[in-house]
Amino acid sequence: MGLELNKLSEQVNKMGTTLASRSADIAARLPKARATLEKITNNDPILETKIERALSLHWTGAIPTSEPVHAVFPCPKHPERANIVAADGSQVYPDRHGIAMYYLINTGSIVFRYGLDEAPVCSSHPHLFYEDHDLYPNEALIPSFLVNARRDIAELRELAQIATREVKTAPTLLMLDNGLLLYLGLQTKEYRQSDEILSEYLETLSDIESTDACIAGVIDRPRTANVLRLLRLYDIDNATFDTDEIRTLGDYSQLTDRMLFSTLKPGERSAIFVNASPQNLGKYLSLGQKIMFYYVNAGTKEQPVILRIEIPEWVANQPEQLSLTHAGIVEQARFGNGFPYVLIRSHELAVVTWTERGHLEQMVAGSMRRSGISAVISRKAQGKQWTNSAKRRYGQ
Amino acid sequence: MLRSDTTGFTFGCLLPEPEVPLFGDFVKAPAQQGLTEIIGVIHNIVIEDDLFVRQLIAAPDLPDAYIQDQRRNRQIPIEVSVLSVGYSSGNTMIQGLPPQPPVTLDYIKRCSINDMIAFTDRQDYLALILNSKETPVDELIVAALQRASGARPIEDRALFLIQAGKELARLLSDDLSKLDSILRRIQVNT
């Protein structure tokens, strides 16, 4: 039957009206949020005590640094010569309806030598995983979040390798198209692999630190509200607040940090904050890789684009490295419509299209047949192929 | 090679390739598991729309490195359509539609000078081009004859073009304006 769009028109109209009214509602809450941000001062002992208590309650807000929380920093001058590097990855998940059990991780990278009028160096590296220990790390099929985590590590390793080579020629900025806090699902205890993967990830971050390159994770259209949680905490009068009080955003409900910082002018960045997530203040901090973040307007006056930039503490502490993340991202975004050009290109180099996936399946099927194994997809997958390829509807 | 039928085939290639195909070029593709090679003439080249390039065009003061990246590194596919005009079987060149089209993912090569001279030794392929509905046929005939003539030593070109002109006069006896348009552009000095 497919999607009958005519049956959706009324719902779509109502949705449009609801979205408009919600948007007006949310906008009305912004002035108070901005006013609270202006009120917060550094070294406020009451706020510091509240933060301490909140951290003991697994609060996930933003911890201020030495920079005033409402400070704004203009875009610094870009070095005349710098290497701007990006890596991205994509994956093909194991498919129990496919011809064979395997998964694929493909990483793409680009080295843009700013200041030299030469074509950037591009590469991509596909890796197929089909051994039992790859597919069944805990005697069960590898879950998608672990495949994603392996992809994230592959991206980071690619950057580490490139950094070792490139830092010899100029200051080097490495960029990733996501945050630097590795998402490991629910991190349930049965997945001891989560711990192993996190250790591997943090070791690779340390390797990058030792190369003298700097690294930044770039998040477009961030939905996070860490700074708003700080504002909420500031507003709470009760010194013995509990988890419930800090879990919600109160007057700032449905706002995001991106909205809060949408007043940044083109190229400007916000103050730097520490991400208070337990993961960050646990293993990341203990291994010297505490993650901090700032917001930057990488767009124009007419079309602001607020990006969230995550950096390790060792980048934030080195003014030249911090400046390079700021200037490098803003400069690259000039040619990517508000998003760094090198990240667009590294995605393009990494992405596995449906057509390429089909060709890979054909290659795998050919290899299996040559080895005397039958290569057939499940009946369900076959049915989907028949019906999805060309939807037809007769009568009715 | 992307898709094919008896009358022609379409192949893809990358923009930065040093030998970008040209309209009217003679190319060949393997068929029947290598038993035959299909000879064709390129009749259309399509560069697909690219949204990324569109937004870059609007960017002010685009540094050269970005232009180099787009030109040298990006896999912008160009689709090249070929009209089948004959095939070779062993040492024999046959002018006419091939018994089978080439298979997808086969590699397409540009015809060598010797291939072009051998294939265009007879003029029967001109009828196939004239009967094609795919393209402005007079433009394609002019381009193909220029390639075939250019493959020959200078002293042989005049005779080759005169013979081609005679064949065209026979085929286009009922369309003198088209004949005139072609003959004007395949002068011996081309």
Side-chain angles (χ1 to χ4, degrees), chain A residues 317-385:
Chain A
N317 286 343
Q318 297 182 63
E320 281 186 7
Q321 290 206 343
L322 175 62
S323 286
L324 182 55
T325 65
H326 186 177
I329 288 165
V330 170
E331 169 65 16
Q332 282 286 315
R334 281 178 63 210
F335 306 105
N337 202 21
F339 191 69
Y341 178 91
V342 285
L343 285 178
I344 298 174
R345 288 286 287 117
S346 60
H347 170 77
E348 188 179 37
L349 290 159
V351 73
V352 180
T353 63
W354 280 103
T355 311
E356 287 162 345
R357 191 177 166 169
H359 291 157
L360 172 65
E361 284 271 297
Q362 282 175 15
M363 282 171 68
V364 172
S367 166
M368 289 168 70
R369 286 191 194 108
R370 282 193 296 278
S371 304
I373 313 167
S374 136
V376 286
I377 56 174
S378 74
R379 296 289 181 271
K380 177 177 168 173
Q382 193 174 59
K384 280 187 176 179
Q385 275 187 2

Side-chain angles (χ1 to χ4, degrees), chain A residues 22-56:
Chain A
R22 192 187 301 160
S23 169
D25 239 26
I26 291 170
R29 287 180 224 149
L30 262 179
K32 186 185 174 194
R34 288 186 182 133
T36 310
L37 186 69
E38 288 295 321
K39 279 193 272 180
I40 296 177
T41 54
N42 281 45
N43 307 318
D44 173 350
I46 300 173
L47 183 61
E48 280 174 6
T49 311
K50 281 187 195 172
I51 290 173
E52 223 164 276
R53 179 173 172 78
L55 288 175
S56 69

